[in-house]
Amino acid sequence: MTHRLLDQLDGWKQRHYKGLLVLIDPDKSEPASLRRVLSESERCGVDLLMVGGSLTHGADIQDIVLEIKQLSPIPVLLFPGSLYQIAPAADGILFLSLISGRNPDLLIGRQVEAAPILRKTKLEVIPTAYMLVDSGKPTTAHYMSNTQPIPHDKPDIAAATALAGEMLGLRLAYLDGGSGAQIPVSAEMVRRAAETLRIPLMIGGGIRTAHAALTAWRAGADMLVIGTALEQDPDCRILHDIADARAAYLQQHPVLP
Ligand code: 1GP
């Protein structure tokens, strides 16, 4: 198995690059809007596409990934809500352990079921410390996982949880308010996690403006995930705004060689 994606994510952290990821919900990938999101993602310099969700209604993920692969050169990372979301045509998969929760099935149970299947694919497996954060209202991820999210105003709990994930050998930390979060993960929580961790830090949930994206990047996020905001913006204006904000930020804070 290669470590191409993992090396890339590690490099982002070391070089202070700011990654931009777009999450595609398999149930909402109607062909015209998918084509639009893919072409605008390419124009905006999106680094990775994520595909998946906590609850999908029978969409064939492999077919969607194959379609994306035909239309876009951007690597595809699976963000699986279930075993049904393993699509060998993708480049990699976030091998999620929901370490903010105490649901054994999502800490290790599903992983035991998935591991032999993944071994038969060429997918790059990215061991991920996945943490749900309270974001103002229960999201699908909160409900479906049957776990309590980390309280929004408890950055120390988030930092300690992420550090435990790192010490367990996980290679990526993902603090997620959940899809459609009312409020994004707080700057203070991002800051505490970022200064604690040596592994890369991904932030998602409720990022709908360039200001929110910049706040998270400035606080130390290595990469951001944008999903719902694009579904509500067929022209992908928000993606261009966020990409422009990133370009301006990286001009002021150049990526290290
Ligand atoms: C959800 O972090 C992702 O798991 C993206 O969230 O849909 O709110 O952008 P949004």
Side-chain angles (χ1 to χ4, degrees):
M1 191 182 71
T2 65
H3 293 103
R4 204 172 56 83
L5 292 168
L6 261 174
D7 289 347
Q8 186 179 10
L9 303 186
D10 283 340
W12 289 356
K13 181 171 182 74
Q14 283 153 19
R15 296 166 49 235
H16 299 181
Y17 179 71
K18 299 297 177 186
L20 178 56
L21 282 63
V22 162
L23 173 63
I24 294 169
D25 182 332
D27 284 325
K28 295 177 187 155
S29 59
E30 177 266 317
S33 64
L34 179 64
R35 264 195 295 278
R36 183 80 200 240
V37 166
L38 294 177
S39 64
E40 296 305 323
S41 294
E42 205 176 331
R43 285 180 60 195
C44 289
V46 166
D47 299 289
L48 295 172
L49 299 166
M50 283 170 46
V51 178
S54 315
L55 178 66
T56 54
H57 299 272
D60 188 320
I61 312 284
Q62 173 78 347
D63 282 354
I64 292 169
V65 173
L66 285 169
E67 197 178 345
I68 294 172
K69 285 293 190 189
Q70 277 190 348
L71 296 168
S72 172
I74 305 174
V76 176
L77 200 50
L78 300 171
F79 174 48
S82 78
L83 287 174
Y84 300 111
Q85 296 183 33
I86 296 176
D91 297 277
I93 183 166
L94 296 184
F95 196 58
L96 305 164
S97 185
L98 182 59
I99 62 169
S100 59
R102 301 296 179 264
N103 177 345
D105 198 32
L106 300 182
L107 279 163
I108 184 62
R110 304 275 180 90
Q111 294 79 352
V112 172
E113 291 168 11
I117 300 171
L118 291 175
R119 183 44 65 87
K120 292 190 182 133
T121 71
K122 292 197 164 68
L123 288 166
E124 182 176 341
V125 174
I126 301 183
T128 303
Y130 186 47
M131 292 157 284
L132 285 170
V133 179
D134 179 63
S135 58
K137 64 167 190 188
T139 65
T140 306
H142 295 146
Y143 180 79
M144 293 300 292
S145 68
N146 198 16
T147 63
Q148 277 193 36
I150 296 172
H152 191 262
D153 61 348
K154 298 289 181 193
D156 288 347
I157 296 179
T161 306
L163 182 58
E166 178 180 300
M167 288 179 171
L168 283 164
L170 302 174
R171 300 287 304 274
L172 170 70
Y174 183 5
L175 278 171
D176 190 3
S179 201
Q182 223 161 37
I183 39 172
V185 175
S186 74
E188 184 54 20
M189 189 176 279
V190 176
R191 189 170 299 111
R192 290 283 295 112
E195 68 192 18
T196 304
L197 290 173
R198 293 179 189 157
I199 57 174
L201 176 61
M202 179 186 280
I203 301 292
I207 300 174
R208 290 186 199 84
T209 62
H211 178 262
L214 265 183
T215 301
W217 276 320
R218 280 204 186 103
D222 299 301
M223 67 206 88
L224 303 183
V225 184
I226 314 292
T228 307
L230 282 183
E231 290 160 17
Q232 297 166 349
D233 172 21
D235 294 334
C236 299
R237 228 13 286 162
I238 179 62
L239 191 58
H240 283 269
D241 290 350
I242 291 174
D244 290 349
R246 173 172 71 161
Y249 177 91
L250 289 177
Q251 221 164 25
Q252 287 166 6
H253 308 84
V255 176
L256 303 179

